[in-house]
């Protein structure tokens, strides 16, 4: 049996209260089956083995009333170092109360909450499809930052999906990010994929459009490296390399590194279908938990799973999925060397800025 994935992503629900221009999940859902219940979730988590990162996805994760229970099960059964949860930031009160409970129940596991910010003001509301979402985003973000001052295992980030709808106004977004100063900030380019039911939407920015913001991303990353230490500085170095690789992907359509999806990473859909990654969701499944009495190990070691790994190994698919890309960089000597170079530049920037 292959070792468990380093990074396990679980879409806890296909329900979503956003109507994003870049994603059809809120309107169409992800899968035809119903969301796994808490007993099914406990069964599959108990057979998944230890992981380093447990990523929760959706839909909107905080629509699940039992989200703290899911996180507590994950902490007990998977022993992750990090539990990561993105959110559209609409349900401010529930997000705050659930986050505080999650942090308490999984301590000392680090919990990272990442509200989405795809524009400033009305642009964010237009892209996310909910009037007043931007105001709720800022309120939720500030409240999470405040909560983090008294909850030691909480970090609050921000994330932006760069699409044709906001790429020309990215400088506004980055200016606000600098002002808000989140614990972390990451961008990904909008992709067309079956899981998001957005094929043919034309949402991905062009290489030239991305080139226009690449310099801004590099400058921001170097700024943050000058103030960062340890793991935070390493993470920023990975992101600097990731942005360069994303630009190359937009130019050529081919991801420059070998992909290890289905080996270092697995994605479980809301109804229990198992994917090597979300990009292959809805097109090439490794198996279904409900067909194996919720035994993740049986799906993970199945012949079908091996066929999917071979498909990925052959490079038939290509994407800039961030979670998987970091693992690919670690396993690529050239990319690892470039990351080390960015680490060195960050160290030089710190010395020049701080004199230490």
């Amino acid at each position: 049996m292959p070792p468990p994935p380093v990074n396990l992503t679980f879409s806890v629900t296909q329900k979503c209260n956003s109507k994003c221009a870049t994603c059809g999940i809120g309107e169409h859902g992800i899968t035809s089956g119903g969301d796994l219940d808490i007993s099914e979730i406990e069964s599959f988590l108990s057979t998944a083995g230890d992981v380093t990162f447990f990523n929760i996805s959706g839909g909107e994760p905080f629509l699940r009333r039992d989200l703290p229970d899911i996180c507590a099960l994950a902490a007990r059964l998977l022993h992750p170092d990090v539990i990561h949860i993105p959110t559209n930031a609409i349900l401010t009160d529930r997000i705050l109360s659930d986050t505080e409970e999650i942090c308490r129940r999984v301590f000392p596991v680090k919990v990272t909450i990442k509200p989405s910010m795809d524009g400033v003001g009305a642009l964010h509301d237009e892209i996310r499809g909910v009037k007043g979402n931007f105001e709720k985003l800022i309120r939720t973000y500030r409240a999470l930052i405040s909560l983090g001052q008294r909850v030691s295992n909480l970090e609050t980030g921000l994330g932006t999906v760069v699409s044709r709808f906001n790429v020309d106004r990215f400088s506004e977004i980055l200016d606000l990010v600098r002002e808000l100063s989140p614990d972390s900030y990451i961008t990904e380019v909008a992709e067309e994929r079956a899981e998001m039911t957005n094929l043919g939407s034309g949402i991905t920015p062009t290489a030239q459009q991305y080139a226009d913001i690449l310099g801004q991303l590099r400058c921001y990353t170097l700024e943050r490296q000058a103030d960062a230490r340890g793991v935070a500085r390493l993470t920023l170095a990975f992101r600097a390399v990731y942005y360069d690789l994303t630009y190359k992907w937009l130019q050529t359509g081919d991801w420059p590194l070998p992909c290890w999806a289905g080996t270092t990473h697995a994605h479980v859909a809301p109804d229990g279908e198992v994917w090597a990654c979300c990009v292959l969701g809805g097109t090439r499944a490794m198996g279904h938990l409900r067909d194996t009495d919720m035994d993740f190990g049986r799906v993970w070691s199945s012949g079908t799973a091996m066929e999917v790994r071979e498909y990925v190994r052959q490079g038939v698919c290509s994407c800039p999925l961030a979670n998987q890309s970091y693992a690919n960089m670690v396993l690529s000597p050239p990319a690892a060397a470039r990351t080390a170079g960015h680490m060195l530049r960050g160290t030089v920037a710190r010395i020049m800025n701080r004199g230490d």
Side-chain angles (χ1 to χ4, degrees):
M1 177 175 173
V6 175
N7 189 325
L8 177 62
T9 298
F10 175 34
S11 294
V12 295
T13 183
Q14 54 189 327
K15 297 176 182 176
C16 191
N17 48 352
S18 293
K19 302 292 183 183
C20 297
T22 56
C23 174
I25 291 175
E27 183 176 358
H28 304 293
I30 302 177
T31 56
S32 58
D35 295 349
L36 299 180
D37 63 35
I38 195 66
S39 64
E40 291 176 309
I41 293 170
E42 181 173 12
S43 295
F44 104 72
L45 292 178
S46 68
T47 63
D50 289 356
V51 305
T52 302
F53 302 98
F54 181 60
N55 300 299
I56 291 176
S57 186
E60 167 53 37
F62 286 95
L63 285 174
R64 277 205 71 138
R65 294 285 187 174
D66 56 0
L67 185 61
D69 296 328
I70 295 172
C71 292
L73 285 171
R76 177 168 62 85
L77 298 171
L78 301 178
H79 309 110
D81 293 328
V82 178
I83 294 176
H84 174 69
I85 312 173
T87 177
N88 58 23
I90 292 175
L91 303 173
T92 302
D93 291 343
R94 187 185 300 180
I95 292 167
L96 289 175
S97 61
D98 280 4
T99 297
E100 185 168 13
E101 182 180 352
I102 289 167
C103 289
R104 175 180 57 81
R105 293 178 65 179
V106 307
F107 186 85
V109 176
K110 180 188 293 186
V111 177
T112 60
I113 308 294
K114 186 188 72 176
S116 298
M117 186 171 74
D118 290 345
V120 177
L123 178 62
H124 179 79
D125 292 358
E126 180 181 346
I127 294 173
R128 307 295 294 190
V130 177
K131 186 176 182 180
N133 193 165
F134 181 75
E135 180 182 347
K136 293 176 180 177
L137 160 64
I138 298 301
R139 185 186 312 137
T140 301
Y141 170 81
R142 295 191 187 283
L144 286 168
I145 289 293
S146 178
L147 177 62
Q149 293 174 355
R150 54 189 177 84
V151 177
S152 62
N153 59 329
L154 173 63
E155 289 188 2
T156 301
L158 288 169
T160 299
V161 175
V162 179
S163 69
R164 66 180 176 87
F165 304 112
N166 62 7
V167 66
D168 294 331
R169 295 175 62 180
F170 183 75
S171 60
E172 299 175 15
I173 300 171
L174 200 56
D175 285 345
L176 182 55
V177 169
R178 286 189 172 98
E179 178 184 333
L180 294 174
S181 190
D183 294 321
S184 64
Y185 176 65
I186 182 69
T187 72
E188 294 188 71
V189 295
E191 298 175 71
E192 296 182 22
R193 57 190 194 225
E195 177 228 5
M196 289 186 170
T197 66
N198 62 4
L199 297 176
S201 59
I203 57 175
T204 306
T206 66
Q208 182 55 56
Q209 287 175 317
Y210 194 79
D212 292 340
I213 73 169
L214 186 56
Q216 299 176 57
L217 287 168
R218 288 170 174 162
C219 288
Y220 174 79
T221 303
L222 192 60
E223 290 168 15
R224 291 299 303 267
Q225 282 183 298
D227 294 323
R229 294 180 181 272
V231 174
R233 195 185 303 179
L234 176 62
T235 299
L236 287 162
F238 272 116
R239 286 180 181 161
V241 176
Y242 168 73
Y243 295 141
D244 289 341
L245 293 172
T246 298
Y247 175 54
K248 290 182 179 179
W249 175 78
L250 287 168
Q251 285 181 305
T252 66
D254 292 321
W255 191 249
L257 304 179
C259 183
W260 294 91
T263 300
T264 63
H265 179 228
H267 191 126
V268 176
D271 69 345
E273 192 167 74
V274 180
W275 309 327
C277 69
C278 59
V279 175
L280 295 180
T283 61
R284 193 170 289 268
M286 302 178 99
H288 205 297
L289 293 171
R290 282 175 170 160
D291 294 335
T292 59
D293 296 323
M294 304 308 298
D295 189 329
F296 179 87
R298 284 176 58 190
V299 174
W300 190 239
S301 60
S302 68
T304 302
M306 295 299 293
E307 292 172 2
V308 172
R309 291 188 187 98
E310 179 61 19
Y311 175 86
V312 172
R313 189 192 67 79
Q314 292 176 359
V316 178
C317 54
S318 176
C319 80
L321 183 66
N323 279 342
Q324 183 58 49
S325 295
Y326 296 142
N328 296 341
M329 282 186 267
V330 170
L331 295 170
S332 166
R338 290 182 61 191
T339 302
H342 279 282
M343 281 278 288
L344 179 59
R345 281 191 284 275
T347 300
V348 171
R350 183 180 182 86
I351 292 172
M352 293 179 64
N353 284 4
R354 297 292 182 86
D356 58 7

